[in-house]
Amino acid sequence: MAFDLVVRSRRAVTPDGVRPAAVAVAAGRIAHIAAHGDPLDTRAELDLGDVALLPGLVDSHVHVNEPGRTEWEGFATATRAAAAGGVTTIVDMPLNSVPPTVDVEALAVKRRAAAGQCHVDVGFWGGAVPGNAGELRALHDAGVFGFKAFLVDSGVPEFPPLDPAGLDDAMRAVDALFAVHAEDAGRLAAAPRSAAYADFVASRPPDAEVDAVATAIAAARATAARLHILHLSSARAVPQIAAARADGIRVTAETCPHYLTLTAEDVPDGATEFKCCPPIRDAANQEALWRALAAGLVAVVVSDHSPCTPELKRGDFASAWGGIASVQLGLPAVWTRARARGHSLADVVRWMATGPADLVHLPHKGRLVVGADADLVAFDPEEQFVVDPAALHHRHPVTPYAGQRLTGVVRRTWLRGTEVTGDDPRGRLLVRGSR
């Protein structure tokens, strides 16, 4: 047969490791993986040389915010930024859009808003909020990948938190994946109106995460639900996650590039572009997170891309919006720190592509295997660049990475074998169980 495209690389990142290979594409899928030099009948061919060939990353934690807060971010800009960062699949969180995705009608509104705008494939989370347990089964049947819940104020009034009884009710309502923002409201203090980052961090201490993770695990134990801990920032919560898994509880955890690459010691006073919840913590905690990642106790690294308008980032650490926009920068940020610790590109692919795909049950995403979608990334792992906010594709050029020198440049991205240019949105809207 004549393939549509063959991409050759001396560093293809496959499930068997990094090796020379030729990846052949037909009808949007990987049809064959051959030795690097094998002759193949193809309509188009590209040899990347020593530039690495990765599967497209999967980011299961992205806030697109459209509709309702499209001035913060939208599907066109978020997915263009994702593709520029080597991400070919995102799963959109149920807030901060209006309406939030808490029932079937709201999901339909979200899908209509996304239609025809997406440069990468997009799936959707549903939301679990007080009073909507009766909506969850229908929403799950409509194709959401699981349900996000907060145990603390979400920051927007239309998405209130669950108390422990409410989380238990939601988990009993449907057999689904529950992704929990785990901070304990009783442990949080009011952030003082202060320019000092240390004051903000002190208002959201590690014990707030430790206690909330324990609450979520208790609910999963009582209901046999699948539990995923979102954006883990405190390594002190890792031992109880490990113990719960040893007891047979179905619990997983993610962390984010900013927790692995930025430290509290380096946050300048007044630099609210670094504000996120839970917060960026100290260097010792960061090293413990890297150890948890290496041990497989934290298995997923995703962006928690949470942008807003520049105006909402102004002020002090009490009043500024808490969120970091980084979907375009996650791969080079993580690779820069991972390679310095002796990790390989295969490790990064496992954390940022295969792991998130497995979390949301997309077996045809995030891996270079025959039958998978031909979502491909040409990534130069030695090239360096300095982050210029003006070169970012998300809606507002606000980033804590501004001016940082990172290693690793995304050269090209393909979605199902077609190069993503940013001009012709070809992304599909995915539902749970998509093949």
Side-chain angles (χ1 to χ4, degrees), residues 327-393:
V327 69
Q328 186 173 336
L329 295 173
L331 175 56
V334 171
W335 172 239
T336 299
R337 303 308 194 273
R339 73 198 299 258
R341 291 171 168 80
H343 293 293
S344 69
L345 282 174
D347 294 327
V348 173
V349 165
R350 185 173 66 255
W351 301 329
M352 303 187 76
T354 315
D358 289 346
L359 173 71
V360 294
H361 299 295
L362 288 174
H364 62 299
K365 295 290 190 182
R367 65 207 81 209
L368 297 184
V369 297
V370 172
D373 282 358
D375 300 343
L376 311 173
V377 177
F379 181 68
D380 188 335
E382 272 79 47
E383 184 70 18
Q384 295 187 342
F385 71 102
V386 175
V387 176
D388 176 5
L392 300 178
H393 292 279

Side-chain angles (χ1 to χ4, degrees), residues 1 24 46 251 271 317 376 408-409:
M1 66 175 292
L46 176 66
V251 57
F317 282 104
L376 311 173
V409 173

Side-chain angles (χ1 to χ4, degrees), residues 60-289:
S60 56
H61 195 151
V62 176
H63 294 268
V64 175
N65 305 334
E66 185 176 4
R69 290 190 175 93
T70 312
E71 71 276 14
W72 292 19
E73 184 70 287
F75 285 101
T77 48
T79 58
R80 192 178 291 115
V87 177
T88 52
T89 303
I90 67 170
V91 188
D92 172 59
M93 283 293 171
L95 72 164
N96 304 303
S97 56
V98 180
T101 314
V102 295
D103 54 38
V104 171
E105 292 74 20
L107 175 63
V109 171
K110 180 75 71 79
R111 290 177 65 86
R112 286 196 296 270
Q117 292 203 74
C118 299
H119 297 274
V120 302
D121 287 353
V122 178
F124 302 94
W125 289 94
V129 296
N132 85 325
E135 305 283 350
L136 300 185
R137 185 175 300 277
L139 193 49
H140 200 238
D141 290 344
V144 299
F145 285 82
F147 297 97
K148 179 174 186 177
F150 277 77
L151 298 181
V152 69
D153 180 18
S154 72
V156 292
E158 68 275 3
F159 202 96
L162 294 175
D163 61 17
L167 180 61
D168 187 280
D169 289 344
M171 286 180 165
R172 293 183 188 278
V174 60
D175 181 12
L177 176 64
F178 284 85
V180 176
H181 180 126
E183 290 183 281
D184 183 81
R187 287 282 191 176
L188 301 188
R193 303 199 67 85
S194 171
Y197 182 68
D199 291 337
F200 170 67
V201 175
S203 75
R204 302 185 90 101
D207 282 346
E209 287 188 80
V210 171
D211 288 358
V213 168
T215 297
I217 288 173
R221 187 187 301 274
T223 62
R226 286 174 285 155
L227 170 65
H228 182 66
I229 302 299
L230 297 168
H231 46 50
L232 186 71
S233 83
S234 173
R236 288 176 55 184
V238 170
Q240 62 183 323
I241 293 170
R245 288 174 58 178
D247 285 346
I249 296 172
R250 296 183 294 172
V251 57
T252 53
E254 69 185 36
T255 193
C256 303
H258 39 278
Y259 301 132
L260 296 171
T261 64
L262 307 173
T263 62
E265 293 91 334
D266 294 330
V267 177
D269 285 348
T272 55
E273 64 269 24
F274 288 83
K275 181 182 175 181
C276 57
C277 301
I280 295 163
R281 302 193 187 277
D282 59 50
N285 177 81
Q286 184 181 95
E287 290 304 319
L289 284 178

